Amino acid sequence: MRNSILHFDLDTFFVSCERLIDSRLQNRPLLVGGTGDRGVVAACSYETRVFGVHSGMSMKVARRLCPEAVVIKGNSGIYSKYSHLVTDIVKESVPVFEKASVDEFYADLTGMDKFHGCYKYASELRQKIIKESGLPISFGLSENKIVSKVATGEAKPNNQLKIDSGYEKSFLAPLSIRKIPSVGAKTYQILRNLGVDKVSVVQQMPLDMMISALGANGRTIWKRANGIDNPPLIPYHERKSISTERTFTKDTINMKQLRTTIFAMAENLAFQLRRGNKLASTISVKIRYSDFNTYSKQIKIPYTSADHIIIPKALELFEKLHQRRLLIRLVGVKINDIVSGNYQIHLFDDTEDMINLYSAMDTIRDRYGELSIMRASSMGAKTIGRFQNPFNGEPPVLLAHRKQ
């Protein structure tokens, strides 16, 4: 039995959500992302792309390229709402699916040809999503995830494309090598230096040559270029780390502000662990200076989810890491090596009052939101929060005004 793997992608998702809310934005050039000079374009409409604008670009540059564009900061809560709406439609319509990101889905329709016809069923499902959500969506259908994803990109905007069995290689051959997933800017430059610009060139290259040039990634790219890489669908995403970071509007050396931000980040991450019944054993802190040099330091700790352990360790790492007399552009805190488990009471350091305090604060946060209660030391960084459980099995939601 041949596989039938469907790939859905909501077209310019953030832009489409904004237009759904405000019809005046239809057919106008639109940028969603950070509104300041430090902002990054999280999403851009097709009208802006003819000017060279693309996601991930500095908002300052994007405004210069397309000065008539409307700039919107974006609202991750709205995007999460529509993402969950589409997720529910997909979930009830297919036997197995993977939510790869906030706006991207895979579904395994293998065996449904016997009853429905996979392409017909996928087409009907696409129309159902468009009708019930109001959002444009494209899909690609083939025997594997990679070809289906590339097919979706070729089908856009708001269209669909099926690649029949046996035609994967010929479909991929004329495309730019940049269309292959996992070929980033650095890999593309290496391949261009080798004279590779089209997928067809990789298809003609020996596997050993690709491995010699790119290592293990060369094998993956070669298999994907030949349409034979077939990674499995992952219905559930098990998080092994959670992190948060903050790029300041203006580079700073205000130590009170920096410590407050680190404190608030560590406090929020500890709450996320407790909310998900998780424990962690590694904490790391990151600093990016105004010259864009980035440094990080980590430390191992006993498995815990307690504020009074995680927060001091994060602040201690920051003090050890901060050694340059330069303005700081970004700070971040990350928690690794996460396992399932409830907080273990320490016989000598913990008190009943402390355990009850954690329980009370977490109850208030669960009921009224993450920012409803916090320590006084976090007050200067009150906007730090996640607004969803990071351990719910879904991929992280992109915050539209930040570069992730």
Side-chain angles (χ1 to χ4, degrees), residues 221-268:
I221 293 172
W222 185 87
K223 291 175 67 177
R224 291 182 173 182
N226 283 276
I228 57 176
D229 188 36
N230 192 18
L233 266 69
I234 305 172
Y236 182 84
H237 291 259
E238 183 68 35
R239 298 287 294 276
K240 295 299 181 184
S241 68
I242 54 175
S243 63
T244 185
E245 60 184 41
R246 171 59 48 83
T247 300
F248 297 106
T249 305
K250 185 178 180 181
D251 294 349
T252 182
I253 201 169
N254 183 332
M255 295 305 295
K256 181 179 180 181
Q257 179 187 15
L258 292 166
R259 290 191 185 98
T260 298
T261 303
I262 294 292
F263 190 107
M265 288 176 171
E267 181 184 20
N268 182 263

Side-chain angles (χ1 to χ4, degrees), residues 41-242:
V41 177
C44 56
S45 66
Y46 287 105
E47 291 83 359
T48 66
R49 298 184 187 185
V50 297
F51 296 95
V53 178
H54 57 80
S55 59
M57 173 183 283
S58 163
M59 185 63 77
K60 187 176 181 179
V61 174
R63 281 171 158 169
R64 189 163 61 243
L65 291 173
C66 187
E68 61 269 32
V70 178
V71 180
I72 296 177
K73 184 176 182 179
N75 187 320
S76 59
I78 291 173
Y79 308 144
S80 296
K81 170 188 171 184
Y82 282 105
S83 177
H84 289 146
L85 173 61
V86 176
T87 302
D88 289 341
I89 297 171
V90 174
K91 184 187 296 185
E92 68 182 19
S93 303
V94 300
V96 180
F97 85 101
E98 171 187 347
K99 186 171 183 178
S101 70
V102 68
D103 59 353
E104 189 177 6
F105 307 85
Y106 293 94
D108 190 345
L109 304 184
T110 303
M112 295 185 70
D113 260 331
K114 181 177 180 181
F115 306 101
H116 303 283
C118 292
Y119 184 72
K120 179 183 177 184
Y121 187 78
S123 301
E124 292 173 351
L125 178 54
R126 173 173 169 259
Q127 292 302 322
K128 180 179 180 181
I129 293 171
I130 293 172
K131 180 180 179 180
E132 295 189 14
S133 71
L135 299 170
I137 189 169
S138 300
F139 79 71
L141 180 66
S142 76
E143 284 196 359
N144 68 61
K145 288 175 69 174
I146 304 303
V147 175
S148 294
K149 181 177 176 67
V150 177
T152 303
E154 294 303 294
K156 288 184 176 183
N158 201 24
N159 214 329
Q160 56 195 55
L161 180 61
K162 178 187 178 185
I163 308 301
D164 292 324
S165 177
Y167 290 88
E168 295 88 357
K169 195 170 179 178
S170 59
F171 161 68
L172 295 170
L175 302 178
S176 167
I177 191 64
R178 287 296 301 269
K179 297 289 183 73
I180 298 297
S182 77
V183 176
K186 292 183 178 179
T187 302
Y188 177 68
Q189 190 58 54
I190 294 172
L191 292 171
R192 290 298 290 120
N193 292 339
L194 294 173
V196 177
D197 59 344
K198 300 291 184 183
V199 175
S200 57
V201 180
V202 177
Q203 292 175 348
Q204 297 165 19
M205 292 172 64
L207 174 58
D208 292 343
M209 183 181 293
M210 287 291 292
I211 295 174
S212 175
L214 299 170
N217 195 37
R219 181 188 297 274
T220 300
I221 293 172
W222 185 87
K223 291 175 67 177
R224 291 182 173 182
N226 283 276
I228 57 176
D229 188 36
N230 192 18
L233 266 69
I234 305 172
Y236 182 84
H237 291 259
E238 183 68 35
R239 298 287 294 276
K240 295 299 181 184
S241 68
I242 54 175

Side-chain angles (χ1 to χ4, degrees), residues 308 343 345-358:
H308 68 278
Y343 176 62
I345 298 175
H346 195 284
L347 291 176
F348 303 104
D349 296 337
D350 294 353
T351 65
E352 183 178 355
D353 288 344
M354 184 179 295
I355 301 303
N356 291 337
L357 175 63
Y358 285 161

